[in-house]
């Protein structure tokens, strides 16, 4: 079974530029999560999708971050314009929708450096 | 105050030592996860448990629901165990995870 795919793996941009990350979850996983992990901290949830609907985006800085999952499968996360404090690893995860709390499967992450 | 607290933040051990990482949480949970993160950034799930104890190879995870505490043990530690270990509490109807800040483990040969 293929895991969660993310691209790119690494990205370096200057502040005020824009950047986009892509995630393809495990086939059949209805729930998709985007996390931001700043160095030395645990991941912080940015947005959670269930199919193509948003379940929770309360911690997404909506003035600069946006995310979509148009067909309920893969998803993109965009930052426009980037700030220095956006330097972090951006993790995508997916899980099954129903039943007991299923574990989340994480992708390899995208390491963003904003200079 | 973070809802999930881990200790220690950093841990250095000699190869072969028995290692314990602790996790305390203040929220009501339906399950607790132990995750491993290597320097490349990817996260691997080690255990998901809601009661008792689970064992996989040299790794053992325990949870005490009444005390809101979980431990991850590594027996006969090896340099390849060097990684960040993160506990995460699964709570709420939205199935979200609340993460600890991680424990950086370094096992020296």
């Amino acid at each position: 079974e293929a895991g969660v795919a993310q691209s790119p793996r690494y990205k370096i941009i200057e502040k005020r530029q824009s950047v986009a990350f892509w995630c393809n979850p495990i086939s059949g996983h209805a729930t998709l999560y985007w996390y931001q992990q700043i160095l030395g901290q645990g991941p912080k949830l940015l947005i959670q999708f269930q199919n193509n609907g948003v379940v929770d985006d309360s911690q997404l800085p909506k003035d600069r971050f946006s995310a979509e999952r148009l067909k309920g499968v893969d998803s993109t996360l965009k930052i426009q314009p980037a700030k220095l404090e956006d330097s972090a690893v951006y993790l995508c995860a997916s899980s099954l929708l129903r039943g007991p709390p299923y574990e989340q499967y994480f992708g390899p992450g995208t390491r963003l450096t904003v200079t | 105050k973070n809802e999930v607290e881990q200790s220690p933040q950093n841990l250095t051990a000699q190869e072969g030592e028995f290692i314990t990482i602790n996790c305390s949480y203040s929220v009501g949970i339906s399950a607790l996860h132990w995750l491993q993160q290597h320097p490349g950034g990817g996260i691997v799930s080690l255990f998901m448990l809601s009661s008792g104890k689970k064992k996989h190879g040299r790794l053992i995870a325990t949870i005490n629901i009444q005390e809101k505490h979980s431990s991850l043990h590594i027996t006969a530690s090896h340099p390849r165990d060097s990684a960040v270990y993160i506990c995460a509490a699964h709570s709420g109807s939205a199935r979200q995870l609340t993460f600890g800040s991680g424990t950086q483990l370094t096992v020296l040969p």
Side-chain angles (χ1 to χ4, degrees):
Chain A
E1 178 185 81
V4 177
Q6 286 189 251
S7 68
R9 291 296 313 278
Y10 305 92
K11 190 74 178 179
I12 301 173
I13 61 172
E14 294 181 353
K15 60 183 179 184
R16 291 187 289 274
Q17 286 187 323
S18 63
V19 64
F21 312 128
W22 174 81
C23 172
N24 191 24
I26 292 173
S27 177
H29 281 195
T31 307
L32 185 147
Y33 311 81
W34 282 104
Y35 294 95
Q36 179 193 59
Q37 186 179 22
I38 292 171
L39 186 65
Q41 299 179 17
K44 180 186 86 171
L45 179 69
L46 292 176
I47 189 167
Q48 177 185 351
F49 290 97
Q50 192 164 290
N51 295 310
N52 60 351
V54 175
V55 174
D56 186 349
D57 63 358
S58 57
Q59 297 197 82
L60 186 74
K62 298 181 187 64
D63 57 335
R64 297 184 301 105
F65 286 64
S66 64
E68 60 183 16
R69 193 184 183 199
L70 291 177
K71 296 182 180 179
V73 181
D74 56 350
S75 174
T76 55
L77 175 70
K78 296 179 182 177
I79 308 174
Q80 184 178 7
K83 293 185 175 181
L84 295 176
E85 60 260 37
D86 298 332
S87 295
V89 174
Y90 290 84
L91 293 160
C92 178
S94 69
S95 69
L96 291 167
L97 173 60
R98 302 197 181 278
Y102 290 110
E103 63 183 288
Q104 294 183 20
Y105 294 83
F106 289 82
T110 297
R111 185 176 297 276
L112 173 68
T113 302
V114 183
T115 62
Chain B
K1 184 181 184 300
N2 197 9
E3 294 175 328
V4 179
E5 299 276 354
Q6 278 186 245
S7 63
Q9 267 191 308
N10 294 282
L11 180 57
T12 300
Q14 289 295 133
E15 183 174 356
E17 285 186 4
F18 180 84
I19 287 162
T20 296
I21 299 170
N22 296 300
C23 176
S24 297
Y25 52 91
S26 57
V27 296
I29 68 167
S30 51
L32 186 124
H33 296 251
W34 281 101
L35 309 164
Q36 182 190 58
Q37 186 172 32
H38 280 281
I43 291 178
V44 173
S45 178
L46 298 174
F47 295 104
M48 182 174 68
L49 66 167
S50 53
S51 66
K53 174 179 170 178
K54 287 191 176 181
K55 184 176 188 295
H56 181 73
R58 295 179 296 104
L59 302 178
I60 303 166
T62 63
I63 189 168
N64 184 319
I65 297 294
Q66 286 73 30
E67 295 185 4
K68 294 187 176 177
H69 180 268
S70 176
S71 293
L72 176 69
H73 305 285
I74 304 175
T75 61
S77 60
H78 191 276
R80 64 174 174 267
D81 297 326
S82 298
V84 175
Y85 292 84
I86 303 172
C87 74
H90 210 148
S91 62
S93 59
R95 303 168 182 276
Q96 293 178 359
L97 288 174
T98 302
F99 294 84
S101 58
T103 295
Q104 173 68 62
L105 172 65
T106 304
V107 181
L108 302 173

PDB file of all heavy atoms in Angstrom, chain B residues 29 36 50-51 53 56 82 84 88 90-92 95 101 108:
ATOM      1  N   ILE B  29      -9.077  11.658  26.774  1.00  0.00           N
ATOM      2  CA  ILE B  29      -8.639  11.123  25.495  1.00  0.00           C
ATOM      3  C   ILE B  29      -9.394   9.845  25.159  1.00  0.00           C
ATOM      4  O   ILE B  29      -9.925   9.167  26.030  1.00  0.00           O
ATOM      5  CB  ILE B  29      -7.123  10.840  25.467  1.00  0.00           C
ATOM      6  CG1 ILE B  29      -6.770   9.674  26.401  1.00  0.00           C
ATOM      7  CG2 ILE B  29      -6.329  12.081  25.842  1.00  0.00           C
ATOM      8  CD1 ILE B  29      -5.366   9.145  26.190  1.00  0.00           C
ATOM      9  N   GLN B  36       7.441   8.291  16.101  1.00  0.00           N
ATOM     10  CA  GLN B  36       8.888   8.433  15.961  1.00  0.00           C
ATOM     11  C   GLN B  36       9.172   9.313  14.757  1.00  0.00           C
ATOM     12  O   GLN B  36       8.591   9.106  13.683  1.00  0.00           O
ATOM     13  CB  GLN B  36       9.527   7.060  15.757  1.00  0.00           C
ATOM     14  CG  GLN B  36      11.043   7.076  15.642  1.00  0.00           C
ATOM     15  CD  GLN B  36      11.566   5.709  15.186  1.00  0.00           C
ATOM     16  OE1 GLN B  36      11.192   5.207  14.146  1.00  0.00           O
ATOM     17  NE2 GLN B  36      12.436   5.122  15.991  1.00  0.00           N
ATOM     18  N   SER B  50      -5.199   2.722  24.189  1.00  0.00           N
ATOM     19  CA  SER B  50      -6.209   3.381  25.029  1.00  0.00           C
ATOM     20  C   SER B  50      -6.246   2.771  26.419  1.00  0.00           C
ATOM     21  O   SER B  50      -6.902   3.307  27.306  1.00  0.00           O
ATOM     22  CB  SER B  50      -7.584   3.309  24.381  1.00  0.00           C
ATOM     23  OG  SER B  50      -7.893   1.977  24.056  1.00  0.00           O
ATOM     24  N   SER B  51      -5.559   1.667  26.622  1.00  0.00           N
ATOM     25  CA  SER B  51      -5.474   1.065  27.956  1.00  0.00           C
ATOM     26  C   SER B  51      -4.329   0.077  27.980  1.00  0.00           C
ATOM     27  O   SER B  51      -3.899  -0.437  26.920  1.00  0.00           O
ATOM     28  CB  SER B  51      -6.784   0.360  28.320  1.00  0.00           C
ATOM     29  OG  SER B  51      -6.989  -0.734  27.469  1.00  0.00           O
ATOM     30  N   LYS B  53      -1.084  -2.028  27.987  1.00  0.00           N
ATOM     31  CA  LYS B  53       0.298  -2.094  27.543  1.00  0.00           C
ATOM     32  C   LYS B  53       0.346  -2.721  26.161  1.00  0.00           C
ATOM     33  O   LYS B  53      -0.434  -3.609  25.843  1.00  0.00           O
ATOM     34  CB  LYS B  53       1.044  -2.963  28.558  1.00  0.00           C
ATOM     35  CG  LYS B  53       2.470  -3.303  28.275  1.00  0.00           C
ATOM     36  CD  LYS B  53       2.993  -4.150  29.452  1.00  0.00           C
ATOM     37  CE  LYS B  53       4.329  -4.763  29.190  1.00  0.00           C
ATOM     38  NZ  LYS B  53       4.818  -5.529  30.359  1.00  0.00           N
ATOM     39  N   HIS B  56       6.154  -4.114  20.954  1.00  0.00           N
ATOM     40  CA  HIS B  56       6.546  -4.433  19.587  1.00  0.00           C
ATOM     41  C   HIS B  56       8.060  -4.459  19.541  1.00  0.00           C
ATOM     42  O   HIS B  56       8.713  -3.421  19.609  1.00  0.00           O
ATOM     43  CB  HIS B  56       5.990  -3.399  18.605  1.00  0.00           C
ATOM     44  CG  HIS B  56       6.335  -3.686  17.186  1.00  0.00           C
ATOM     45  ND1 HIS B  56       5.745  -4.717  16.480  1.00  0.00           N
ATOM     46  CD2 HIS B  56       7.202  -3.122  16.333  1.00  0.00           C
ATOM     47  CE1 HIS B  56       6.245  -4.756  15.269  1.00  0.00           C
ATOM     48  NE2 HIS B  56       7.130  -3.799  15.143  1.00  0.00           N
ATOM     49  N   SER B  82      18.021   6.399  17.746  1.00  0.00           N
ATOM     50  CA  SER B  82      18.145   7.856  17.871  1.00  0.00           C
ATOM     51  C   SER B  82      17.127   8.541  16.966  1.00  0.00           C
ATOM     52  O   SER B  82      17.102   8.325  15.753  1.00  0.00           O
ATOM     53  CB  SER B  82      19.565   8.307  17.508  1.00  0.00           C
ATOM     54  OG  SER B  82      20.515   7.743  18.385  1.00  0.00           O
ATOM     55  N   VAL B  84      13.470  11.609  17.363  1.00  0.00           N
ATOM     56  CA  VAL B  84      12.564  12.346  18.246  1.00  0.00           C
ATOM     57  C   VAL B  84      11.329  11.477  18.458  1.00  0.00           C
ATOM     58  O   VAL B  84      10.749  10.968  17.493  1.00  0.00           O
ATOM     59  CB  VAL B  84      12.156  13.707  17.642  1.00  0.00           C
ATOM     60  CG1 VAL B  84      11.116  14.387  18.529  1.00  0.00           C
ATOM     61  CG2 VAL B  84      13.382  14.598  17.476  1.00  0.00           C
ATOM     62  N   ALA B  88       1.116  11.858  21.427  1.00  0.00           N
ATOM     63  CA  ALA B  88       0.007  12.665  20.935  1.00  0.00           C
ATOM     64  C   ALA B  88      -1.293  12.078  21.462  1.00  0.00           C
ATOM     65  O   ALA B  88      -1.516  10.873  21.374  1.00  0.00           O
ATOM     66  CB  ALA B  88      -0.003  12.705  19.409  1.00  0.00           C
ATOM     67  N   HIS B  90      -5.301  11.645  21.392  1.00  0.00           N
ATOM     68  CA  HIS B  90      -6.407  11.640  20.446  1.00  0.00           C
ATOM     69  C   HIS B  90      -7.677  11.949  21.224  1.00  0.00           C
ATOM     70  O   HIS B  90      -8.053  11.186  22.109  1.00  0.00           O
ATOM     71  CB  HIS B  90      -6.521  10.250  19.822  1.00  0.00           C
ATOM     72  CG  HIS B  90      -7.056  10.274  18.436  1.00  0.00           C
ATOM     73  ND1 HIS B  90      -6.668   9.358  17.481  1.00  0.00           N
ATOM     74  CD2 HIS B  90      -7.954  11.073  17.832  1.00  0.00           C
ATOM     75  CE1 HIS B  90      -7.282   9.615  16.352  1.00  0.00           C
ATOM     76  NE2 HIS B  90      -8.063  10.639  16.532  1.00  0.00           N
ATOM     77  N   SER B  91      -8.310  13.082  20.899  1.00  0.00           N
ATOM     78  CA  SER B  91      -9.479  13.464  21.681  1.00  0.00           C
ATOM     79  C   SER B  91     -10.495  14.162  20.816  1.00  0.00           C
ATOM     80  O   SER B  91     -10.174  14.648  19.731  1.00  0.00           O
ATOM     81  CB  SER B  91      -9.076  14.385  22.844  1.00  0.00           C
ATOM     82  OG  SER B  91      -8.512  15.578  22.347  1.00  0.00           O
ATOM     83  N   GLY B  92     -11.703  14.229  21.304  1.00  0.00           N
ATOM     84  CA  GLY B  92     -12.715  15.010  20.613  1.00  0.00           C
ATOM     85  C   GLY B  92     -13.363  14.272  19.468  1.00  0.00           C
ATOM     86  O   GLY B  92     -12.823  13.314  18.929  1.00  0.00           O
ATOM     87  N   ARG B  95     -11.560  13.869  16.024  1.00  0.00           N
ATOM     88  CA  ARG B  95     -10.429  12.951  15.898  1.00  0.00           C
ATOM     89  C   ARG B  95      -9.110  13.678  15.723  1.00  0.00           C
ATOM     90  O   ARG B  95      -8.245  13.245  14.965  1.00  0.00           O
ATOM     91  CB  ARG B  95     -10.638  12.017  14.701  1.00  0.00           C
ATOM     92  CG  ARG B  95     -11.910  11.224  14.765  1.00  0.00           C
ATOM     93  CD  ARG B  95     -12.187  10.546  13.427  1.00  0.00           C
ATOM     94  NE  ARG B  95     -13.414   9.806  13.440  1.00  0.00           N
ATOM     95  CZ  ARG B  95     -13.533   8.568  13.888  1.00  0.00           C
ATOM     96  NH1 ARG B  95     -12.491   7.938  14.338  1.00  0.00           N
ATOM     97  NH2 ARG B  95     -14.696   7.972  13.872  1.00  0.00           N
ATOM     98  N   SER B 101       5.790  18.110  22.758  1.00  0.00           N
ATOM     99  CA  SER B 101       6.867  18.796  22.035  1.00  0.00           C
ATOM    100  C   SER B 101       7.995  17.855  21.637  1.00  0.00           C
ATOM    101  O   SER B 101       8.928  18.262  20.948  1.00  0.00           O
ATOM    102  CB  SER B 101       7.405  19.958  22.856  1.00  0.00           C
ATOM    103  OG  SER B 101       7.857  19.474  24.098  1.00  0.00           O
ATOM    104  N   LEU B 108      24.306   6.537  22.019  1.00  0.00           N
ATOM    105  CA  LEU B 108      25.719   6.521  21.613  1.00  0.00           C
ATOM    106  C   LEU B 108      26.253   5.104  21.559  1.00  0.00           C
ATOM    107  O   LEU B 108      25.909   4.274  22.411  1.00  0.00           O
ATOM    108  CB  LEU B 108      26.545   7.354  22.602  1.00  0.00           C
ATOM    109  CG  LEU B 108      26.112   8.808  22.758  1.00  0.00           C
ATOM    110  CD1 LEU B 108      26.898   9.471  23.883  1.00  0.00           C
ATOM    111  CD2 LEU B 108      26.300   9.555  21.457  1.00  0.00           C
TER     112      LEU B 108
END
